[in-house]
Amino acid sequence: MNIGSHYKLYHFIPWTRVKIYKMLVLSIIPTLLFCFVGWNWLAIPWVPVALLGTAAAFISGFKNTQTYNRSWEARQVYGAIINNSRSFGILVKDFIRTDDKVEESALHQQVIYRHFAWLTALRFQLKETKSWEHVKTKSYNREYLQYYKVPEWEGKIEDELKAYLSDTELQYVFSTKNRATQIIALQSAQLRKLNEDGKISDYNYTALENQFKELYDQQGKCERIKNFPYPRQFSSINLYFTNALCFLLPLGFLGEFSKMIEKFGDNIVWLTIPFSVLLGWVFLVLEQIGESTENPFEGNANDIPITQISRNIEIDLREMLGEKELPPAIQPVNNIVM
């Protein structure tokens, strides 16, 4: 997530420069053919270009609205995870009780650390690359990775989970497909044992189990956003309409500027190139921005900062445990926080 006031032009222009090159080619070629080869038929009326531009504007607006909604929903889900995690930490501290205070503190730490493991497993699962995602498949996104790092791609989940789970639990978790799901299952199994041993009352046991249900709900919502892409038919039609418009824009401008030759001279036709590049760039960038917002967990610079959120939850819960040596908060790099 970019936390600056806006994207700087020295970042934004290189990120979209391929679109500029594309429009330069699409506008220079027909202008040269019109001026030097005499292909006057390339100049078309502006009406069909305007109609197609209206359709492209509507579909681009629709796509950007829907992709933003996906991103905002993902942020709401992680906001709920923050709240549920804090509630879970308080309930663990207040509901798990033994006569031995050392044992009680150890149990609190074990259960809460296992929650850290769940947060870690979930964010690693959400950063797994899907075939429809763009951050690794598009050259401009790969180039932009120089401005930030994705922690889940830089490190290994095995190394991070070792700090939170026992060797037996690690072995079990890595033998399963959905690790985050099985970590909560381990939590539930331990709470059941504590309830049977009389260390959690029946009412408190039910309240804690309800917390697991809430966490499962939030995990399921994240998985739905991750595993169900923005519908390909809408993504495709936006791409086709935008590219068709960019192809016709220079021809429409040729038609308009050719009408002014008698008044302003032949050179007026060369204005086709800058106007086509500018207007085509606007539509192509709208399409690219919508694309970069489609998948809020893919590792893009515009992603929901789930690594930072998970670290902040860990800091809060460690303070609940009374720990003094806390991990540092995740800091932005080039105004981008992951």
Side-chain angles (χ1 to χ4, degrees):
M1 178 180 72
N2 190 299
I3 61 170
S5 60
H6 60 278
Y7 275 99
K8 306 299 183 184
L9 281 178
Y10 60 81
H11 285 172
F12 196 74
I13 295 298
W15 183 59
T16 61
R17 72 178 186 277
V18 174
K19 311 301 184 186
I20 299 174
Y21 299 156
K22 179 177 182 176
M23 286 310 306
L24 279 171
V25 172
L26 289 176
S27 58
I28 289 174
I29 291 177
T31 304
L32 290 174
L33 292 174
F34 181 89
C35 292
F36 297 113
V37 183
W39 286 13
N40 295 334
W41 55 269
L42 287 174
I44 65 174
W46 185 253
V47 173
V49 181
L51 290 174
L52 182 57
T54 302
F58 273 116
I59 196 67
S60 290
F62 175 80
K63 177 180 180 179
N64 279 273
T65 299
Q66 297 307 313
T67 55
Y68 173 80
N69 287 341
R70 283 169 62 86
S71 182
W72 179 240
E73 182 186 4
R75 182 59 187 88
Q76 288 179 305
V77 171
Y78 254 84
I81 289 176
I82 294 171
N83 297 336
N84 290 335
S85 296
R86 290 169 177 165
S87 299
F88 178 70
I90 290 175
L91 294 180
V92 166
K93 281 203 66 181
D94 291 346
F95 286 179
I96 299 178
R97 302 174 184 172
T98 68
D99 295 331
D100 186 340
K101 294 303 180 183
V102 175
E103 179 190 12
E104 183 177 290
S105 296
L107 287 172
H108 293 167
Q109 185 187 63
Q110 186 179 25
V111 174
I112 289 178
Y113 271 40
R114 197 179 289 119
H115 183 68
F116 299 157
W118 176 76
L119 290 168
T120 302
L122 180 60
R123 64 182 173 84
F124 269 87
Q125 288 173 197
L126 293 176
K127 290 300 185 189
E128 293 175 358
T129 303
K130 300 294 183 180
S131 60
W132 56 81
E133 293 177 343
H134 309 288
V135 71
K136 290 184 177 179
T137 58
K138 299 297 179 70
S139 60
Y140 43 80
N141 287 332
R142 291 197 302 270
E143 288 179 7
Y144 203 78
L145 284 170
Q146 66 181 300
Y147 297 112
Y148 67 98
K149 300 293 183 183
V150 180
E152 290 77 16
W153 296 348
E154 300 291 318
K156 295 182 179 180
I157 185 173
E158 295 89 345
D159 296 335
E160 297 205 24
L161 288 184
K162 284 179 182 178
Y164 308 127
L165 299 176
S166 67
D167 292 340
T168 302
E169 289 173 336
L170 274 174
Q171 186 176 0
Y172 169 72
V173 167
F174 283 111
S175 69
T176 63
K177 293 183 178 179
N178 193 319
R179 293 161 183 167
T181 296
Q182 300 309 319
I183 289 172
I184 292 184
L186 289 173
Q187 293 275 61
S188 181
Q190 184 181 21
L191 291 189
R192 178 181 177 180
K193 180 68 167 57
L194 292 174
N195 175 249
E196 292 171 349
D197 294 344
K199 296 174 181 177
I200 305 178
S201 68
D202 290 342
Y203 178 81
N204 292 345
Y205 171 64
T206 302
L208 284 167
E209 286 290 336
N210 284 334
Q211 288 295 309
F212 294 147
K213 175 185 177 299
E214 293 296 323
L215 293 173
Y216 267 144
D217 285 345
Q218 304 311 323
Q219 178 182 333
K221 291 176 182 178
C222 289
E223 291 170 341
R224 170 172 53 80
I225 296 171
K226 176 69 177 181
N227 297 325
F228 185 81
Y230 177 72
R232 298 295 86 190
Q233 65 272 29
F234 291 111
S235 180
S236 299
I237 198 172
N238 184 73
L239 181 66
Y240 299 153
F241 279 20
T242 301
N243 280 283
L245 173 66
C246 291
F247 177 78
L248 293 180
L249 270 175
L251 309 185
F253 277 121
L254 281 174
E256 292 301 304
F257 286 125
S258 63
K259 298 175 185 177
M260 305 178 188
I261 290 178
E262 292 184 4
K263 185 175 181 180
F264 296 102
D266 294 341
N267 289 335
I268 191 70
V269 175
W270 291 100
L271 288 177
T272 294
I273 296 174
F275 278 95
S276 297
V277 170
L278 178 61
L279 193 57
W281 178 76
V282 169
F283 276 91
L284 289 171
V285 167
L286 277 174
E287 197 274 333
Q288 186 169 325
I289 288 174
E291 172 191 280
S292 72
T293 318
E294 281 183 24
N295 308 298
F297 300 125
E298 70 173 326
N300 194 289
N302 300 310
D303 274 7
I304 304 304
I306 61 177
T307 307
Q308 183 199 50
I309 291 172
S310 298
R311 176 63 60 82
N312 290 342
I313 293 172
E314 182 175 350
I315 292 171
D316 288 344
L317 268 60
R318 283 180 181 271
E319 286 184 324
M320 288 183 188
L321 291 172
E323 296 184 8
K324 300 302 181 183
E325 295 184 6
L326 304 175
I330 303 294
Q331 299 299 322
V333 177
N334 293 317
N335 286 329
I336 297 172
V337 62
M338 299 302 293

